[in-house]
Each structure stands twice: as structure tokens, then as C-alpha cells.
PDB file of all heavy atoms in Angstrom:
ATOM      1  N   VAL A   1      37.848 131.746 157.248  1.00  0.00           N
ATOM      2  CA  VAL A   1      38.691 130.579 157.065  1.00  0.00           C
ATOM      3  C   VAL A   1      38.886 130.385 155.561  1.00  0.00           C
ATOM      4  O   VAL A   1      37.948 130.434 154.784  1.00  0.00           O
ATOM      5  CB  VAL A   1      37.999 129.287 157.644  1.00  0.00           C
ATOM      6  CG1 VAL A   1      38.803 128.056 157.263  1.00  0.00           C
ATOM      7  CG2 VAL A   1      37.869 129.396 159.164  1.00  0.00           C
ATOM      8  N   VAL A   2      40.150 130.169 155.199  1.00  0.00           N
ATOM      9  CA  VAL A   2      40.504 129.889 153.809  1.00  0.00           C
ATOM     10  C   VAL A   2      41.185 128.521 153.748  1.00  0.00           C
ATOM     11  O   VAL A   2      42.276 128.362 154.304  1.00  0.00           O
ATOM     12  CB  VAL A   2      41.393 130.967 153.244  1.00  0.00           C
ATOM     13  CG1 VAL A   2      41.690 130.714 151.737  1.00  0.00           C
ATOM     14  CG2 VAL A   2      40.797 132.372 153.407  1.00  0.00           C
ATOM     15  N   ASN A   3      40.563 127.564 153.112  1.00  0.00           N
ATOM     16  CA  ASN A   3      41.141 126.211 152.992  1.00  0.00           C
ATOM     17  C   ASN A   3      41.811 126.047 151.644  1.00  0.00           C
ATOM     18  O   ASN A   3      41.246 126.411 150.619  1.00  0.00           O
ATOM     19  CB  ASN A   3      40.032 125.171 153.121  1.00  0.00           C
ATOM     20  CG  ASN A   3      39.453 125.075 154.502  1.00  0.00           C
ATOM     21  OD1 ASN A   3      40.172 125.126 155.496  1.00  0.00           O
ATOM     22  ND2 ASN A   3      38.129 124.970 154.603  1.00  0.00           N
ATOM     23  N   VAL A   4      43.037 125.496 151.652  1.00  0.00           N
ATOM     24  CA  VAL A   4      43.693 125.214 150.410  1.00  0.00           C
ATOM     25  C   VAL A   4      43.304 123.838 149.924  1.00  0.00           C
ATOM     26  O   VAL A   4      43.552 122.833 150.561  1.00  0.00           O
ATOM     27  CB  VAL A   4      45.223 125.294 150.577  1.00  0.00           C
ATOM     28  CG1 VAL A   4      45.935 124.888 149.268  1.00  0.00           C
ATOM     29  CG2 VAL A   4      45.653 126.721 150.981  1.00  0.00           C
ATOM     30  N   ALA A   5      42.643 123.828 148.744  1.00  0.00           N
ATOM     31  CA  ALA A   5      42.233 122.573 148.103  1.00  0.00           C
ATOM     32  C   ALA A   5      43.233 122.285 146.992  1.00  0.00           C
ATOM     33  O   ALA A   5      44.434 122.368 147.246  1.00  0.00           O
ATOM     34  CB  ALA A   5      40.812 122.672 147.585  1.00  0.00           C
ATOM     35  N   SER A   6      42.768 121.987 145.801  1.00  0.00           N
ATOM     36  CA  SER A   6      43.684 121.670 144.686  1.00  0.00           C
ATOM     37  C   SER A   6      42.874 121.535 143.406  1.00  0.00           C
ATOM     38  O   SER A   6      41.692 121.154 143.464  1.00  0.00           O
ATOM     39  CB  SER A   6      44.462 120.384 144.926  1.00  0.00           C
ATOM     40  OG  SER A   6      45.157 119.947 143.758  1.00  0.00           O
ATOM     41  N   ILE A   7      43.512 121.789 142.289  1.00  0.00           N
ATOM     42  CA  ILE A   7      42.886 121.453 141.015  1.00  0.00           C
ATOM     43  C   ILE A   7      42.486 119.997 140.951  1.00  0.00           C
ATOM     44  O   ILE A   7      41.533 119.641 140.279  1.00  0.00           O
ATOM     45  CB  ILE A   7      43.774 121.862 139.829  1.00  0.00           C
ATOM     46  CG1 ILE A   7      42.992 121.707 138.521  1.00  0.00           C
ATOM     47  CG2 ILE A   7      45.074 121.092 139.801  1.00  0.00           C
ATOM     48  CD1 ILE A   7      43.749 122.192 137.290  1.00  0.00           C
ATOM     49  N   ALA A   8      43.230 119.169 141.684  1.00  0.00           N
ATOM     50  CA  ALA A   8      42.906 117.725 141.683  1.00  0.00           C
ATOM     51  C   ALA A   8      41.518 117.484 142.194  1.00  0.00           C
ATOM     52  O   ALA A   8      40.841 116.506 141.824  1.00  0.00           O
ATOM     53  CB  ALA A   8      43.938 116.955 142.525  1.00  0.00           C
ATOM     54  N   GLY A   9      41.023 118.381 143.032  1.00  0.00           N
ATOM     55  CA  GLY A   9      39.681 118.262 143.554  1.00  0.00           C
ATOM     56  C   GLY A   9      38.598 118.484 142.547  1.00  0.00           C
ATOM     57  O   GLY A   9      37.420 118.135 142.737  1.00  0.00           O
ATOM     58  N   HIS A  10      39.015 119.048 141.367  1.00  0.00           N
ATOM     59  CA  HIS A  10      38.093 119.303 140.284  1.00  0.00           C
ATOM     60  C   HIS A  10      38.176 118.236 139.212  1.00  0.00           C
ATOM     61  O   HIS A  10      37.442 118.287 138.204  1.00  0.00           O
ATOM     62  CB  HIS A  10      38.376 120.662 139.649  1.00  0.00           C
ATOM     63  CG  HIS A  10      38.077 121.830 140.543  1.00  0.00           C
ATOM     64  ND1 HIS A  10      36.891 122.510 140.490  1.00  0.00           N
ATOM     65  CD2 HIS A  10      38.828 122.441 141.465  1.00  0.00           C
ATOM     66  CE1 HIS A  10      36.897 123.513 141.366  1.00  0.00           C
ATOM     67  NE2 HIS A  10      38.076 123.481 141.974  1.00  0.00           N
ATOM     68  N   MET A  11      39.084 117.310 139.380  1.00  0.00           N
ATOM     69  CA  MET A  11      39.342 116.322 138.304  1.00  0.00           C
ATOM     70  C   MET A  11      38.402 115.121 138.352  1.00  0.00           C
ATOM     71  O   MET A  11      38.208 114.465 137.329  1.00  0.00           O
ATOM     72  CB  MET A  11      40.782 115.790 138.436  1.00  0.00           C
ATOM     73  CG  MET A  11      41.827 116.866 138.369  1.00  0.00           C
ATOM     74  SD  MET A  11      42.095 117.521 136.731  1.00  0.00           S
ATOM     75  CE  MET A  11      43.251 116.344 136.104  1.00  0.00           C
ATOM     76  N   THR A  12      37.752 114.885 139.486  1.00  0.00           N
ATOM     77  CA  THR A  12      36.834 113.761 139.585  1.00  0.00           C
ATOM     78  C   THR A  12      35.440 114.263 139.352  1.00  0.00           C
ATOM     79  O   THR A  12      34.997 115.175 140.056  1.00  0.00           O
ATOM     80  CB  THR A  12      36.918 113.100 140.982  1.00  0.00           C
ATOM     81  OG1 THR A  12      38.265 112.703 141.239  1.00  0.00           O
ATOM     82  CG2 THR A  12      35.995 111.892 141.070  1.00  0.00           C
ATOM     83  N   PRO A  13      34.694 113.724 138.368  1.00  0.00           N
ATOM     84  CA  PRO A  13      33.310 114.177 138.171  1.00  0.00           C
ATOM     85  C   PRO A  13      32.487 114.018 139.442  1.00  0.00           C
ATOM     86  O   PRO A  13      32.692 113.093 140.233  1.00  0.00           O
ATOM     87  CB  PRO A  13      32.825 113.204 137.072  1.00  0.00           C
ATOM     88  CG  PRO A  13      34.047 112.752 136.375  1.00  0.00           C
ATOM     89  CD  PRO A  13      35.122 112.693 137.445  1.00  0.00           C
ATOM     90  N   LYS A  14      31.571 114.955 139.667  1.00  0.00           N
ATOM     91  CA  LYS A  14      30.773 114.943 140.858  1.00  0.00           C
ATOM     92  C   LYS A  14      30.005 113.626 141.051  1.00  0.00           C
ATOM     93  O   LYS A  14      29.819 113.133 142.178  1.00  0.00           O
ATOM     94  CB  LYS A  14      29.760 116.091 140.859  1.00  0.00           C
ATOM     95  CG  LYS A  14      30.412 117.470 141.098  1.00  0.00           C
ATOM     96  CD  LYS A  14      29.367 118.558 141.212  1.00  0.00           C
ATOM     97  CE  LYS A  14      30.030 119.901 141.504  1.00  0.00           C
ATOM     98  NZ  LYS A  14      29.042 121.014 141.648  1.00  0.00           N
ATOM     99  N   ALA A  15      29.594 113.016 139.936  1.00  0.00           N
ATOM    100  CA  ALA A  15      28.852 111.758 140.022  1.00  0.00           C
ATOM    101  C   ALA A  15      29.719 110.631 140.630  1.00  0.00           C
ATOM    102  O   ALA A  15      29.141 109.677 141.142  1.00  0.00           O
ATOM    103  CB  ALA A  15      28.385 111.356 138.641  1.00  0.00           C
ATOM    104  N   LEU A  16      31.021 110.784 140.547  1.00  0.00           N
ATOM    105  CA  LEU A  16      31.910 109.752 141.060  1.00  0.00           C
ATOM    106  C   LEU A  16      32.458 110.062 142.454  1.00  0.00           C
ATOM    107  O   LEU A  16      33.199 109.277 143.049  1.00  0.00           O
ATOM    108  CB  LEU A  16      33.080 109.502 140.084  1.00  0.00           C
ATOM    109  CG  LEU A  16      32.697 109.038 138.710  1.00  0.00           C
ATOM    110  CD1 LEU A  16      33.948 108.832 137.851  1.00  0.00           C
ATOM    111  CD2 LEU A  16      31.908 107.706 138.769  1.00  0.00           C
ATOM    112  N   GLN A  17      32.106 111.254 142.981  1.00  0.00           N
ATOM    113  CA  GLN A  17      32.572 111.606 144.304  1.00  0.00           C
ATOM    114  C   GLN A  17      31.674 110.948 145.347  1.00  0.00           C
ATOM    115  O   GLN A  17      30.473 110.797 145.162  1.00  0.00           O
ATOM    116  CB  GLN A  17      32.517 113.146 144.475  1.00  0.00           C
ATOM    117  CG  GLN A  17      33.528 113.855 143.615  1.00  0.00           C
ATOM    118  CD  GLN A  17      33.385 115.352 143.719  1.00  0.00           C
ATOM    119  OE1 GLN A  17      32.656 115.900 144.549  1.00  0.00           O
ATOM    120  NE2 GLN A  17      34.105 116.069 142.863  1.00  0.00           N
ATOM    121  N   PRO A  18      32.258 110.507 146.468  1.00  0.00           N
ATOM    122  CA  PRO A  18      31.485 109.788 147.498  1.00  0.00           C
ATOM    123  C   PRO A  18      30.666 110.765 148.380  1.00  0.00           C
ATOM    124  O   PRO A  18      31.029 111.005 149.520  1.00  0.00           O
ATOM    125  CB  PRO A  18      32.566 109.067 148.319  1.00  0.00           C
ATOM    126  CG  PRO A  18      33.759 109.948 148.191  1.00  0.00           C
ATOM    127  CD  PRO A  18      33.706 110.549 146.812  1.00  0.00           C
ATOM    128  N   ALA A  19      29.605 111.260 147.818  1.00  0.00           N
ATOM    129  CA  ALA A  19      28.817 112.289 148.502  1.00  0.00           C
ATOM    130  C   ALA A  19      28.262 111.818 149.835  1.00  0.00           C
ATOM    131  O   ALA A  19      28.263 112.617 150.791  1.00  0.00           O
ATOM    132  CB  ALA A  19      27.637 112.738 147.576  1.00  0.00           C
ATOM    133  N   ARG A  20      27.815 110.579 149.909  1.00  0.00           N
ATOM    134  CA  ARG A  20      27.289 110.085 151.172  1.00  0.00           C
ATOM    135  C   ARG A  20      28.359 110.072 152.256  1.00  0.00           C
ATOM    136  O   ARG A  20      28.119 110.361 153.413  1.00  0.00           O
ATOM    137  CB  ARG A  20      26.701 108.717 151.005  1.00  0.00           C
ATOM    138  CG  ARG A  20      25.416 108.674 150.123  1.00  0.00           C
ATOM    139  CD  ARG A  20      24.889 107.241 150.001  1.00  0.00           C
ATOM    140  NE  ARG A  20      23.658 107.216 149.204  1.00  0.00           N
ATOM    141  CZ  ARG A  20      23.004 106.111 148.882  1.00  0.00           C
ATOM    142  NH1 ARG A  20      23.438 104.923 149.358  1.00  0.00           N
ATOM    143  NH2 ARG A  20      21.914 106.148 148.149  1.00  0.00           N
ATOM    144  N   THR A  21      29.572 109.682 151.871  1.00  0.00           N
ATOM    145  CA  THR A  21      30.701 109.698 152.815  1.00  0.00           C
ATOM    146  C   THR A  21      31.001 111.125 153.247  1.00  0.00           C
ATOM    147  O   THR A  21      31.203 111.377 154.416  1.00  0.00           O
ATOM    148  CB  THR A  21      31.911 109.037 152.173  1.00  0.00           C
ATOM    149  OG1 THR A  21      31.634 107.671 151.890  1.00  0.00           O
ATOM    150  CG2 THR A  21      33.096 109.087 153.165  1.00  0.00           C
ATOM    151  N   PHE A  22      31.034 112.026 152.289  1.00  0.00           N
ATOM    152  CA  PHE A  22      31.312 113.435 152.613  1.00  0.00           C
ATOM    153  C   PHE A  22      30.299 113.985 153.627  1.00  0.00           C
ATOM    154  O   PHE A  22      30.669 114.677 154.581  1.00  0.00           O
ATOM    155  CB  PHE A  22      31.280 114.295 151.348  1.00  0.00           C
ATOM    156  CG  PHE A  22      32.481 114.097 150.429  1.00  0.00           C
ATOM    157  CD1 PHE A  22      32.550 114.814 149.219  1.00  0.00           C
ATOM    158  CD2 PHE A  22      33.522 113.253 150.739  1.00  0.00           C
ATOM    159  CE1 PHE A  22      33.607 114.653 148.358  1.00  0.00           C
ATOM    160  CE2 PHE A  22      34.610 113.100 149.877  1.00  0.00           C
ATOM    161  CZ  PHE A  22      34.643 113.828 148.679  1.00  0.00           C
ATOM    162  N   ARG A  23      29.024 113.664 153.397  1.00  0.00           N
ATOM    163  CA  ARG A  23      28.003 114.218 154.288  1.00  0.00           C
ATOM    164  C   ARG A  23      28.123 113.762 155.755  1.00  0.00           C
ATOM    165  O   ARG A  23      27.653 114.454 156.655  1.00  0.00           O
ATOM    166  CB  ARG A  23      26.642 113.837 153.742  1.00  0.00           C
ATOM    167  CG  ARG A  23      26.189 114.687 152.504  1.00  0.00           C
ATOM    168  CD  ARG A  23      24.707 114.581 152.210  1.00  0.00           C
ATOM    169  NE  ARG A  23      24.341 113.261 151.788  1.00  0.00           N
ATOM    170  CZ  ARG A  23      24.323 112.851 150.502  1.00  0.00           C
ATOM    171  NH1 ARG A  23      24.660 113.740 149.567  1.00  0.00           N
ATOM    172  NH2 ARG A  23      23.934 111.640 150.171  1.00  0.00           N
ATOM    173  N   LEU A  24      28.755 112.617 155.943  1.00  0.00           N
ATOM    174  CA  LEU A  24      28.941 112.116 157.323  1.00  0.00           C
ATOM    175  C   LEU A  24      29.829 113.034 158.139  1.00  0.00           C
ATOM    176  O   LEU A  24      29.755 113.060 159.381  1.00  0.00           O
ATOM    177  CB  LEU A  24      29.542 110.707 157.290  1.00  0.00           C
ATOM    178  CG  LEU A  24      28.601 109.587 156.929  1.00  0.00           C
ATOM    179  CD1 LEU A  24      29.409 108.286 156.755  1.00  0.00           C
ATOM    180  CD2 LEU A  24      27.542 109.389 158.021  1.00  0.00           C
ATOM    181  N   ALA A  25      30.660 113.827 157.462  1.00  0.00           N
ATOM    182  CA  ALA A  25      31.546 114.746 158.175  1.00  0.00           C
ATOM    183  C   ALA A  25      30.726 115.793 158.943  1.00  0.00           C
ATOM    184  O   ALA A  25      31.233 116.344 159.937  1.00  0.00           O
ATOM    185  CB  ALA A  25      32.448 115.495 157.178  1.00  0.00           C
ATOM    186  N   LEU A  26      29.499 116.018 158.574  1.00  0.00           N
ATOM    187  CA  LEU A  26      28.650 116.979 159.248  1.00  0.00           C
ATOM    188  C   LEU A  26      27.868 116.394 160.430  1.00  0.00           C
ATOM    189  O   LEU A  26      27.383 117.130 161.266  1.00  0.00           O
ATOM    190  CB  LEU A  26      27.622 117.575 158.232  1.00  0.00           C
ATOM    191  CG  LEU A  26      28.243 118.220 156.979  1.00  0.00           C
ATOM    192  CD1 LEU A  26      27.105 118.699 156.034  1.00  0.00           C
ATOM    193  CD2 LEU A  26      29.148 119.368 157.305  1.00  0.00           C
ATOM    194  N   THR A  27      27.803 115.070 160.487  1.00  0.00           N
ATOM    195  CA  THR A  27      26.917 114.437 161.481  1.00  0.00           C
ATOM    196  C   THR A  27      27.621 113.363 162.325  1.00  0.00           C
ATOM    197  O   THR A  27      27.229 113.142 163.475  1.00  0.00           O
ATOM    198  CB  THR A  27      25.732 113.796 160.825  1.00  0.00           C
ATOM    199  OG1 THR A  27      26.144 112.817 159.838  1.00  0.00           O
ATOM    200  CG2 THR A  27      24.860 114.869 160.081  1.00  0.00           C
ATOM    201  N   ASP A  28      28.587 112.668 161.753  1.00  0.00           N
ATOM    202  CA  ASP A  28      29.182 111.530 162.450  1.00  0.00           C
ATOM    203  C   ASP A  28      30.683 111.450 162.074  1.00  0.00           C
ATOM    204  O   ASP A  28      31.034 110.754 161.136  1.00  0.00           O
ATOM    205  CB  ASP A  28      28.457 110.252 162.113  1.00  0.00           C
ATOM    206  CG  ASP A  28      28.877 109.068 162.980  1.00  0.00           C
ATOM    207  OD1 ASP A  28      30.005 109.071 163.499  1.00  0.00           O
ATOM    208  OD2 ASP A  28      28.087 108.144 163.125  1.00  0.00           O
ATOM    209  N   PHE A  29      31.500 112.140 162.812  1.00  0.00           N
ATOM    210  CA  PHE A  29      32.922 112.263 162.472  1.00  0.00           C
ATOM    211  C   PHE A  29      33.629 110.919 162.390  1.00  0.00           C
ATOM    212  O   PHE A  29      34.367 110.651 161.438  1.00  0.00           O
ATOM    213  CB  PHE A  29      33.624 113.148 163.487  1.00  0.00           C
ATOM    214  CG  PHE A  29      35.081 113.328 163.238  1.00  0.00           C
ATOM    215  CD1 PHE A  29      35.576 114.262 162.335  1.00  0.00           C
ATOM    216  CD2 PHE A  29      36.033 112.567 163.919  1.00  0.00           C
ATOM    217  CE1 PHE A  29      36.948 114.401 162.105  1.00  0.00           C
ATOM    218  CE2 PHE A  29      37.377 112.683 163.696  1.00  0.00           C
ATOM    219  CZ  PHE A  29      37.848 113.623 162.780  1.00  0.00           C
ATOM    220  N   ASP A  30      33.369 110.046 163.374  1.00  0.00           N
ATOM    221  CA  ASP A  30      34.053 108.730 163.405  1.00  0.00           C
ATOM    222  C   ASP A  30      33.629 107.908 162.190  1.00  0.00           C
ATOM    223  O   ASP A  30      34.496 107.231 161.571  1.00  0.00           O
ATOM    224  CB  ASP A  30      33.746 108.013 164.702  1.00  0.00           C
ATOM    225  CG  ASP A  30      34.377 108.668 165.894  1.00  0.00           C
ATOM    226  OD1 ASP A  30      35.393 109.367 165.718  1.00  0.00           O
ATOM    227  OD2 ASP A  30      33.884 108.479 167.030  1.00  0.00           O
ATOM    228  N   ALA A  31      32.315 107.897 161.870  1.00  0.00           N
ATOM    229  CA  ALA A  31      31.876 107.132 160.695  1.00  0.00           C
ATOM    230  C   ALA A  31      32.467 107.704 159.420  1.00  0.00           C
ATOM    231  O   ALA A  31      32.834 106.973 158.505  1.00  0.00           O
ATOM    232  CB  ALA A  31      30.372 107.141 160.637  1.00  0.00           C
ATOM    233  N   PHE A  32      32.586 109.013 159.341  1.00  0.00           N
ATOM    234  CA  PHE A  32      33.165 109.678 158.183  1.00  0.00           C
ATOM    235  C   PHE A  32      34.633 109.228 158.018  1.00  0.00           C
ATOM    236  O   PHE A  32      35.027 108.815 156.908  1.00  0.00           O
ATOM    237  CB  PHE A  32      33.136 111.202 158.335  1.00  0.00           C
ATOM    238  CG  PHE A  32      34.022 111.943 157.381  1.00  0.00           C
ATOM    239  CD1 PHE A  32      33.760 111.931 156.007  1.00  0.00           C
ATOM    240  CD2 PHE A  32      35.139 112.641 157.841  1.00  0.00           C
ATOM    241  CE1 PHE A  32      34.585 112.614 155.124  1.00  0.00           C
ATOM    242  CE2 PHE A  32      35.928 113.339 156.960  1.00  0.00           C
ATOM    243  CZ  PHE A  32      35.666 113.327 155.605  1.00  0.00           C
ATOM    244  N   ALA A  33      35.403 109.267 159.082  1.00  0.00           N
ATOM    245  CA  ALA A  33      36.795 108.865 159.015  1.00  0.00           C
ATOM    246  C   ALA A  33      36.956 107.426 158.562  1.00  0.00           C
ATOM    247  O   ALA A  33      37.813 107.094 157.731  1.00  0.00           O
ATOM    248  CB  ALA A  33      37.485 109.102 160.364  1.00  0.00           C
ATOM    249  N   GLU A  34      36.158 106.511 159.134  1.00  0.00           N
ATOM    250  CA  GLU A  34      36.212 105.112 158.818  1.00  0.00           C
ATOM    251  C   GLU A  34      35.849 104.868 157.398  1.00  0.00           C
ATOM    252  O   GLU A  34      36.525 104.124 156.666  1.00  0.00           O
ATOM    253  CB  GLU A  34      35.321 104.338 159.759  1.00  0.00           C
ATOM    254  CG  GLU A  34      35.331 102.818 159.505  1.00  0.00           C
ATOM    255  CD  GLU A  34      34.388 102.086 160.411  1.00  0.00           C
ATOM    256  OE1 GLU A  34      33.797 102.695 161.316  1.00  0.00           O
ATOM    257  OE2 GLU A  34      34.237 100.865 160.202  1.00  0.00           O
ATOM    258  N   ARG A  35      34.734 105.470 156.909  1.00  0.00           N
ATOM    259  CA  ARG A  35      34.247 105.218 155.571  1.00  0.00           C
ATOM    260  C   ARG A  35      35.176 105.806 154.546  1.00  0.00           C
ATOM    261  O   ARG A  35      35.451 105.248 153.448  1.00  0.00           O
ATOM    262  CB  ARG A  35      32.824 105.715 155.401  1.00  0.00           C
ATOM    263  CG  ARG A  35      32.171 105.221 154.104  1.00  0.00           C
ATOM    264  CD  ARG A  35      30.728 105.569 154.030  1.00  0.00           C
ATOM    265  NE  ARG A  35      29.928 104.902 155.092  1.00  0.00           N
ATOM    266  CZ  ARG A  35      28.612 105.035 155.223  1.00  0.00           C
ATOM    267  NH1 ARG A  35      27.925 105.815 154.358  1.00  0.00           N
ATOM    268  NH2 ARG A  35      27.969 104.426 156.180  1.00  0.00           N
ATOM    269  N   LEU A  36      35.701 106.977 154.842  1.00  0.00           N
ATOM    270  CA  LEU A  36      36.643 107.616 153.891  1.00  0.00           C
ATOM    271  C   LEU A  36      37.902 106.739 153.743  1.00  0.00           C
ATOM    272  O   LEU A  36      38.406 106.563 152.624  1.00  0.00           O
ATOM    273  CB  LEU A  36      37.008 108.992 154.388  1.00  0.00           C
ATOM    274  CG  LEU A  36      37.983 109.794 153.488  1.00  0.00           C
ATOM    275  CD1 LEU A  36      37.340 110.119 152.120  1.00  0.00           C
ATOM    276  CD2 LEU A  36      38.446 111.086 154.182  1.00  0.00           C
ATOM    277  N   ASP A  37      38.389 106.222 154.810  1.00  0.00           N
ATOM    278  CA  ASP A  37      39.593 105.389 154.741  1.00  0.00           C
ATOM    279  C   ASP A  37      39.327 104.137 153.884  1.00  0.00           C
ATOM    280  O   ASP A  37      40.175 103.749 153.068  1.00  0.00           O
ATOM    281  CB  ASP A  37      40.022 104.950 156.142  1.00  0.00           C
ATOM    282  CG  ASP A  37      41.341 104.205 156.126  1.00  0.00           C
ATOM    283  OD1 ASP A  37      42.374 104.853 155.852  1.00  0.00           O
ATOM    284  OD2 ASP A  37      41.361 102.974 156.353  1.00  0.00           O
ATOM    285  N   ARG A  38      38.160 103.530 154.037  1.00  0.00           N
ATOM    286  CA  ARG A  38      37.815 102.398 153.213  1.00  0.00           C
ATOM    287  C   ARG A  38      37.731 102.794 151.756  1.00  0.00           C
ATOM    288  O   ARG A  38      38.193 102.072 150.862  1.00  0.00           O
ATOM    289  CB  ARG A  38      36.491 101.773 153.639  1.00  0.00           C
ATOM    290  CG  ARG A  38      36.558 101.064 155.000  1.00  0.00           C
ATOM    291  CD  ARG A  38      35.413 100.022 155.089  1.00  0.00           C
ATOM    292  NE  ARG A  38      34.097 100.546 154.772  1.00  0.00           N
ATOM    293  CZ  ARG A  38      33.235 101.017 155.643  1.00  0.00           C
ATOM    294  NH1 ARG A  38      33.568 101.045 156.939  1.00  0.00           N
ATOM    295  NH2 ARG A  38      32.055 101.461 155.261  1.00  0.00           N
ATOM    296  N   ARG A  39      37.167 103.937 151.492  1.00  0.00           N
ATOM    297  CA  ARG A  39      36.943 104.396 150.126  1.00  0.00           C
ATOM    298  C   ARG A  39      38.288 104.586 149.386  1.00  0.00           C
ATOM    299  O   ARG A  39      38.432 104.166 148.266  1.00  0.00           O
ATOM    300  CB  ARG A  39      36.171 105.718 150.162  1.00  0.00           C
ATOM    301  CG  ARG A  39      36.048 106.394 148.799  1.00  0.00           C
ATOM    302  CD  ARG A  39      34.941 105.765 147.979  1.00  0.00           C
ATOM    303  NE  ARG A  39      34.835 106.371 146.638  1.00  0.00           N
ATOM    304  CZ  ARG A  39      33.747 106.321 145.905  1.00  0.00           C
ATOM    305  NH1 ARG A  39      32.653 105.742 146.360  1.00  0.00           N
ATOM    306  NH2 ARG A  39      33.734 106.855 144.707  1.00  0.00           N
ATOM    307  N   VAL A  40      39.249 105.255 150.033  1.00  0.00           N
ATOM    308  CA  VAL A  40      40.485 105.572 149.347  1.00  0.00           C
ATOM    309  C   VAL A  40      41.409 104.409 149.238  1.00  0.00           C
ATOM    310  O   VAL A  40      42.419 104.428 148.514  1.00  0.00           O
ATOM    311  CB  VAL A  40      41.203 106.755 150.052  1.00  0.00           C
ATOM    312  CG1 VAL A  40      40.341 108.025 150.044  1.00  0.00           C
ATOM    313  CG2 VAL A  40      41.658 106.397 151.442  1.00  0.00           C
TER     314      VAL A  40
END
């Protein structure tokens, strides 16, 4: 599988990325979708 990301994905420092929200994608899809929407 090859996913197309973007240089924009490298523009936000890791410390400012919502890591806890990202991790939900591995365990709770619905919670991930809801929290990501709130975040953005």
C-alpha cells in the first residue's frame, strides 16, 4: 500500500500534532472520527 501524504504533513511540529487523537484510529474508529473533527 502506498499512501499519498503531503509536505504539509511535515509542516506541523510533532509536539503540536494530536497524537492521542491519531492513536484512536487503531482502537476506536468512531471516537477517532469524532475527535478529529472537533480538533480541525
Side-chain angles (χ1 to χ4, degrees):
V1 172
V2 184
N3 291 317
V4 176
S6 169
I7 187 175
H10 292 266
M11 302 286 275
T12 304
K14 287 185 179 180
L16 298 180
Q17 293 176 9
R20 292 181 180 178
T21 297
F22 287 178
R23 285 195 292 269
L24 284 172
L26 305 176
T27 59
D28 190 335
F29 179 83
D30 291 337
F32 165 67
E34 180 182 354
R35 192 172 296 182
L36 181 66
D37 187 70
R38 290 204 309 267
R39 173 79 183 203
V40 300

